Amino acid sequence: MSTTNINEINRNIYDIKNKDEYEFKIKKGLTPEIIKEISKQKNDPEWMKEFRLKALEVYNKLEMPTWGPDLSELDMEEIATYVRPKTNLNNSWEDVPEDIKDTFDKLGIPEAERTSLAGVGAQYDSEVVYHSMKKELIQQGVIYTDMETAIKEYPKLVQDHFMKCVPVYDHKFVALHGAVWSGGSFVYVPKGVKVDIPLQSYFRLNSPEAGQFEHTLIIVEEGASLHFIEGCSAPKYNKINLHAGCVELYVKDKAYLRYSTIENWSKNMLNLNTKKAIVGKNAKMDWVSGSFGSKISMLYPMSILNGKGAKTEFTGISFAGEGQNLDNGFKVIHNAPETSSVVNAKSISKNGGKCTYRSLVRIAENAKNSKSSVSCESLMLDNSSISDTIPTNDIRTDEVEFSHEAKIGKISDKAIFYLMSRGLSEEDAIAMIVRGFAHPIAKELPVEYAVEMNNLINLEL
């Protein structure tokens, strides 16, 4: 029987470090003058400059969250919030500078584009450096571009939706994002258009003591469908880096959107990302999420089911190793009758790592005949690891079906013994059990990303 030798896999491709060269890097800190300089560098329209400055005011008024992981080591005076690489946006891969191109080549982005994607955007530090989309989608009226281009070419569409799904006063780091955001993707799928092949954006942070604040805005019109994939990674430094991106998703009546993410930040990263979807009548929003890497993660995707018959499903996994505190979960608001939600969350912790599943299910008084099912399972690989489940269930009507199930446990010694009796080493037996535990999530991903997720699990083991 062939087995995977987990010692053969290393993190070298993710820890590629290019020399910290850039065309422009904002000075560290967070002041109105810095925000104005970012706006100037990006050639913002006046409304966006004013938006940034108001968001900064909100940021300064809001308190740091005190209910989750300790964020006291984050010092915004030591973070550069904007880094522009030495290249412009390119539509040809050959025009991307060699060092940046080499990094994305090793991460497999061009190969994935050739084999399984309808469009790709690649961001390096604060700016998108490469973007392409198949001609067939352009002919169907699909828009897929970077956010800066979208603001210039589709100003009304952007202004009507930008940070309306995720308002700046949601929490302190959303306000920070509103002030310093840069890069990200804009997708618009016209009414009735089915995008059969996924689109992907990949975000790579290279510069030390910097932040990445990309903004993703996706609008799927009535009866349309889309699968969007997001990948993230960064090399490891001995100083704190910050990721505070924002994802806004609008899924109109009878539309479908699947949003798949593999987050593989380095273990000096604070990942304070915010993702939210507004779902219309008889529409469906699916989330598939893999959270690896990062020193601290606070990430709780959210679906707001505003239309009758709206549905959402969340399938996610977190893996926390030594020195990691991954506080992840899912939130869903049932605002209309006959809506439904299914949550399947899993976590793995080892070597003292901490995983927390933190959730909210709210079913409003008018959301009669709605259904919600929540399942969270945690697997601890040793006696020093920690796993917590902190659900909040706010059910405001009796005319619903609701269930919540939670399991926390260790790997069975009997299962390990059985596999070892079949010729596996103890190391391979543990790896097989963990991969089996993660399989429900892996099977929801495209093949290339399922392979990457399994590799990341092997890395952690």
Side-chain angles (χ1 to χ4, degrees):
M1 180 178 180
S2 63
T3 61
T4 300
N5 184 345
I6 62 176
N7 290 323
E8 292 175 358
I9 301 172
N10 60 59
R11 200 194 146 81
N12 286 346
I13 66 165
Y14 301 108
D15 278 335
I16 301 163
K17 291 179 185 175
N18 293 337
K19 188 175 180 181
D20 187 26
E21 294 183 329
Y22 43 82
E23 185 174 309
F24 176 83
K25 188 171 186 176
I26 201 81
K27 68 179 182 179
K28 296 176 183 177
L30 201 60
T31 65
E33 289 68 35
I34 287 175
I35 302 305
K36 289 175 184 177
E37 183 60 31
I38 292 174
S39 190
K40 178 182 175 183
Q41 290 289 330
K42 299 189 70 60
N43 195 26
D44 280 340
E46 187 64 23
W47 72 266
M48 180 56 74
K49 184 179 81 169
E50 293 303 316
F51 184 95
R52 291 181 184 276
L53 291 170
K54 288 178 181 176
L56 179 63
E57 292 178 8
V58 175
Y59 170 82
N60 289 328
K61 290 176 183 177
L62 294 176
E63 299 293 326
M64 291 282 283
T66 56
W67 42 265
D70 180 12
L71 300 176
S72 60
E73 64 183 318
L74 175 61
D75 182 359
M76 289 306 299
E77 295 302 313
E78 294 299 321
I79 297 289
T81 52
Y82 178 69
V83 183
R84 185 169 65 242
K86 284 187 171 181
T87 181
N88 296 318
L89 175 62
N90 301 281
N91 295 317
S92 167
W93 190 244
E94 297 307 312
D95 294 334
V96 177
E98 282 301 322
D99 57 339
I100 298 176
K101 184 165 62 175
D102 183 57
T103 297
F104 284 113
D105 276 334
K106 289 176 179 175
L107 291 168
I109 306 307
E111 179 62 26
E113 178 185 6
R114 285 190 290 269
T115 58
S116 57
L117 298 170
V120 166
Q123 179 162 332
Y124 190 84
D125 287 332
S126 296
E127 295 290 355
V128 176
V129 298
Y130 172 71
H131 218 287
S132 73
M133 184 172 67
K134 291 187 180 298
K135 290 181 180 178
E136 305 92 274
L137 293 185
I138 298 173
Q139 292 167 354
Q140 290 177 290
V142 175
I143 301 168
Y144 176 39
T145 188
D146 63 292
M147 278 299 298
E148 283 78 6
T149 299
I151 287 175
K152 293 178 177 66
E153 296 186 1
Y154 313 100
K156 188 175 188 309
L157 202 52
V158 173
Q159 198 166 359
D160 286 348
H161 294 85
F162 185 82
M163 298 202 80
K164 302 289 175 60
C165 179
V166 183
V168 291
Y169 50 78
D170 259 15
H171 60 78
K172 192 172 183 70
F173 292 99
V174 165
L176 172 65
H177 172 90
V180 302
W181 78 272
S182 183
S185 298
F186 177 81
V187 182
Y188 177 82
V189 184
K191 182 178 179 179
V193 173
K194 312 289 186 183
V195 180
D196 297 323
I197 305 174
L199 302 177
Q200 177 195 267
S201 285
Y202 199 96
F203 303 103
R204 177 73 177 178
L205 181 60
N206 180 73
S207 190
E209 293 182 280
Q212 193 168 61
F213 307 94
E214 79 285 350
H215 193 93
T216 297
L217 175 56
I218 299 177
I219 304 164
V220 185
E221 290 286 6
E222 182 179 348
S225 66
L226 171 69
H227 182 188
F228 190 85
I229 302 170
E230 174 189 80
C232 321
S233 68
K236 185 175 182 180
Y237 293 102
N238 58 9
K239 299 263 181 98
I240 290 295
N241 276 27
L242 173 64
H243 176 237
C246 180
V247 175
E248 298 188 282
L249 310 175
Y250 295 86
V251 189
K252 304 296 180 69
D253 295 353
K254 300 179 184 179
Y256 174 74
L257 174 60
R258 169 170 286 208
Y259 197 94
S260 301
T261 307
I262 293 290
E263 299 208 30
N264 179 30
W265 299 113
S266 55
K267 292 181 182 178
N268 61 298
M269 177 72 77
L270 303 187
N271 182 27
L272 310 177
N273 211 4
T274 303
K275 302 179 180 183
K276 193 182 293 188
I278 295 176
V279 189
K281 182 179 179 180
N282 293 324
K284 189 178 182 190
M285 175 72 223
D286 285 348
W287 304 85
V288 181
S289 176
S291 182
F292 301 84
S294 71
K295 185 173 185 177
I296 290 174
S297 178
M298 297 177 75
L299 177 57
Y300 322 97
M302 182 179 191
S303 287
I304 302 173
L305 307 179
N306 278 346
K308 181 180 179 181
K311 298 179 180 179
T312 191
E313 187 168 341
F314 174 83
T315 306
I317 189 165
S318 302
F319 196 132
E322 182 180 1
Q324 290 182 268
N325 187 344
L326 304 187
D327 198 287
N328 296 329
F330 183 69
K331 297 189 284 187
V332 57
I333 309 296
H334 292 254
N335 273 341
E338 300 175 26
T339 51
S340 67
S341 59
V342 177
V343 180
N344 181 18
K346 291 175 178 279
S347 70
I348 305 166
S349 51
K350 72 181 287 282
N351 290 346
K354 181 176 182 179
C355 279
T356 300
Y357 174 75
R358 195 182 300 269
S359 70
L360 168 66
V361 176
R362 178 177 296 151
I363 302 180
E365 292 179 6
N366 68 322
K368 299 185 186 304
N369 301 316
S370 291
K371 299 177 182 179
S372 181
S373 173
V374 180
S375 172
C376 48
E377 297 181 76
S378 300
L379 184 63
M380 293 183 290
L381 305 189
D382 51 54
N383 292 325
S384 62
S385 298
I386 300 171
S387 183
D388 290 322
T389 301
I390 308 175
T392 299
N393 302 316
D394 182 2
I395 315 300
R396 303 183 182 187
T397 175
D398 292 334
E399 298 179 47
V400 297
E401 292 181 24
F402 175 74
S403 65
H404 182 103
E405 178 184 9
K407 297 178 183 177
I408 297 178
K410 292 177 62 179
I411 285 184
S412 164
D413 290 337
K414 288 183 179 180
I416 294 174
F417 177 78
Y418 174 80
L419 291 172
M420 291 176 68
S421 73
R422 293 295 186 268
L424 295 181
S425 67
E426 181 179 8
E427 191 176 59
D428 286 334
I430 292 171
M432 180 174 286
I433 291 169
V434 171
R435 283 197 297 271
F437 179 78
H439 178 69
I441 284 80
K443 74 179 183 179
E444 297 297 328
L445 291 165
V447 172
E448 295 81 359
Y449 297 89
V451 170
E452 180 183 7
M453 193 186 86
N454 281 327
N455 284 344
L456 291 172
I457 288 173
N458 289 332
L459 280 172
E460 297 297 340
L461 290 170

